[in-house]
Amino acid sequence: RSQNRLTIGLNLMSLKHAKKRTRPSGSGGKPKKKPNWFRYSNNSLNSLKGTRAFLITCDQGKERLAIKQATDVLLDLIEPDESLPICGEKDDDISQSISAEISSLTKGKAKLKAIDSGGKGLIFLRLSKEVDVDPVTISTNLIRNLQASKKANTTCCSRFIPLQYIVAVKSDDFPRLVQTFLKERLTGFKNKNYTYAIQFKKRFAETMNREETISLVGSELEKFANDNRIKLAANLKKPDISILVEVFKSIVGLSIVENMASLCKFNVRTAVL
């Protein structure tokens, strides 16, 4: 008799757990899905190859708001607002100024495009090919303005990392691409004697070894320096130029930044302190 009671009790418990597993939730009897901000796919990242962009870190769960705020902040620097009406203008002039402002806002949205990163707390804003601006210059001006005003212009964004050159991680031509990048960015530098540092950061990627990548970039830099009679010296604390190597999943972003030690690592929150 005790065995029968035990069997009945176990059956009732298993039936109770089964009901919990199959009980529908949400409207229409459909199970609720956990909200996803990004789909985990590299398809969108492929559109970044060969372009310029900003890698922006933000608070997790606030990626949508971060895209809006970052877009507004960057557009203000890319195209300063010069279309506001001036006191004393005629009504027709004011009307034309307002129309021009609305038109510029519409065009501005096409200058930056949000790209699916596939990672929480990270967003990409890609610059249109028609926009002739240097992302390093834009990020530098952003930090300088914040350091001067001490007024934060975003609530959920942290770092605005500029990417001047984006290539594929698995590219067999990576050494040649690095050489091309260095030639494009360093040719014309007035200073023929400067210090440098290579800053490597890898996110959500298993390929590209840190030591090997830094060694490769350093080797190509030395070749360029020798060919152009430039004297180089490594300085990790306060270099004249910093070469950023940002690895994210299937892409690698490269940038060269002057006097980066004074730019708070492009952290907008640190810049206002």
Side-chain angles (χ1 to χ4, degrees):
R1 187 176 295 176
S2 62
Q3 289 181 350
N4 291 337
R5 289 178 179 175
L6 180 60
T7 303
I8 293 171
L10 291 174
N11 289 336
L12 289 173
M13 289 178 64
S14 61
L15 181 62
K16 183 178 180 181
H17 287 299
K19 287 182 178 180
K20 285 184 177 180
R21 288 194 298 269
T22 58
R23 185 181 298 165
S25 60
S27 60
K30 295 181 180 180
K32 290 183 178 180
K33 293 183 178 180
K34 292 183 178 180
N36 282 336
W37 165 233
F38 285 127
R39 293 181 179 178
Y40 287 85
S41 170
N42 285 334
N43 293 333
S44 296
L45 293 179
N46 291 332
S47 65
L48 286 170
K49 297 171 186 175
T51 66
R52 298 153 298 150
F54 298 91
L55 171 58
I56 301 169
T57 63
C58 63
D59 298 336
Q60 292 189 13
K62 294 185 178 180
E63 290 84 359
R64 289 185 185 275
L65 178 60
I67 286 177
K68 182 181 183 304
Q69 292 184 352
T71 300
D72 291 341
V73 168
L74 293 175
L75 283 179
D76 285 343
L77 293 166
I78 292 172
E79 47 177 15
D81 189 3
E82 299 177 354
S83 60
L84 293 177
I86 302 173
C87 182
E89 288 184 345
K90 297 180 180 179
D91 292 341
D92 292 341
D93 295 333
I94 295 174
S95 177
Q96 292 177 1
S97 297
I98 294 175
S99 298
E101 182 180 359
I102 294 173
S103 177
S104 66
L105 289 173
T106 304
K107 292 179 180 178
K109 291 181 179 178
K111 294 182 179 181
L112 287 169
K113 183 177 181 181
I115 302 298
D116 181 350
S117 74
K120 294 181 180 180
L122 292 166
I123 60 176
F124 282 96
L125 288 179
R126 185 185 67 194
L127 277 166
S128 171
K129 293 181 179 179
E130 289 75 21
V131 182
D132 187 20
V133 296
D134 183 359
V136 169
T137 301
I138 298 299
S139 290
T140 299
N141 291 340
L142 171 61
I143 297 300
R144 296 298 187 207
N145 292 344
L146 291 174
Q147 288 173 331
S149 66
K150 298 298 180 182
K151 294 180 180 179
N153 50 13
T154 65
T155 59
C156 56
C157 299
S158 296
R159 298 183 66 194
F160 283 70
I161 304 169
L163 304 178
Q164 294 174 319
Y165 199 66
I166 301 175
V167 298
V169 166
K170 296 182 180 180
S171 175
D172 295 332
D173 293 335
F174 185 68
R176 182 183 61 81
L177 294 173
V178 171
Q179 187 178 29
T180 301
F181 168 72
L182 293 175
K183 184 177 181 180
E184 289 178 356
R185 293 295 170 179
L186 291 179
T187 299
F189 264 48
K190 295 180 179 180
N191 191 358
K192 292 295 183 178
N193 185 4
Y194 51 81
T195 58
Y196 76 96
I198 300 172
Q199 299 187 13
F200 179 91
K201 180 69 176 180
K202 182 166 69 173
R203 301 178 177 91
F204 303 105
E206 296 180 356
T207 55
M208 294 200 71
N209 179 271
R210 175 186 177 86
E211 286 73 20
E212 292 178 358
T213 304
I214 291 177
S215 176
L216 187 150
V217 174
S219 176
E220 294 298 332
L221 181 61
E222 288 181 0
K223 290 179 183 178
F224 175 84
N226 292 333
D227 293 341
N228 292 273
R229 297 179 180 180
I230 297 174
K231 294 182 180 180
L232 292 175
N235 186 337
L236 301 180
K237 291 185 177 181
K238 198 175 180 181
D240 296 324
I241 62 169
S242 297
I243 302 175
L244 308 186
V245 183
E246 294 282 342
V247 183
F248 184 86
K249 288 192 172 183
S250 62
I251 61 171
V252 186
L254 300 171
S255 288
I256 294 179
V257 183
E258 295 185 71
N259 302 316
M260 188 170 174
S262 64
L263 296 174
C264 306
K265 296 183 178 180
F266 295 115
N267 192 318
V268 296
R269 291 175 173 172
T270 306
V272 298
L273 296 179

